[in-house]
Structure formats: C-alpha cells, structure tokens
Amino acid sequence: MNLLLHQTPASYDDWKRDFDAHAETRMNAGLTLLQLWRDLDGSGVTALFQVNDRKKAQDWLDRETQTGGPLDARFMRTA
C-alpha cells in the first residue's frame, strides 16, 4: 500500500528543512519515502510513501493535518 501526499507550503525551504528533520517520525509511523517531487511552477510538493502500517500512518497523517496545514492525501494500492 502507498500514500500519495500533496501540499503547498508557504515556504518550500522551511518546509523541506522540517520534512528532513522529521524522517525518523515518519519511519516510526510505518512510512518509507519512495519519491519526492516539487512543482515546476509553484511551491507545491508531492510525496509518495510506502505504507508498512496503515493505522500508524493514518495517525501520523491526522497529526500532520492538525499541525501542518491542509494536505491532499490518499492511501492507494497497485491496480
């Protein structure tokens, strides 16, 4: 299972610093970063994670939504 996450931070540089600093938190939530993209025409970022524990990942996502602003997130599986 995968998690596709998109958000548009106010400052990409600040967001990236925070994102990198919380790698262990994501790992503890059962998430492994597979790919990170940045919009060419804006500050939007999209991340693809492998989900190893759906409940932990959902709990992490709920916390991120409360503290990090609006997120567009979808749990997905290969069709």
Side-chain angles (χ1 to χ4, degrees), residues 34-64:
L34 299 175
Q35 189 71 47
L36 183 64
W37 297 278
R38 184 175 179 191
D39 291 353
L40 285 176
D41 298 330
S43 62
V45 291
T46 302
L48 176 63
F49 297 97
Q50 179 178 334
V51 177
N52 300 311
D53 185 316
R54 169 76 189 261
K55 180 171 179 352
K56 286 182 181 179
Q58 184 64 58
D59 291 345
W60 172 84
L61 186 58
D62 292 344
R63 284 190 307 274
E64 285 295 306

Side-chain angles (χ1 to χ4, degrees), residues 13-48:
D13 292 333
D14 292 343
W15 175 88
K16 183 66 164 87
R17 239 184 327 276
D18 188 59
F19 182 83
D20 291 344
H22 290 94
E24 186 174 349
T25 302
R26 289 189 304 276
M27 183 182 71
N28 291 335
L31 296 169
T32 303
L33 180 65
L34 299 175
Q35 189 71 47
L36 183 64
W37 297 278
R38 184 175 179 191
D39 291 353
L40 285 176
D41 298 330
S43 62
V45 291
T46 302
L48 176 63

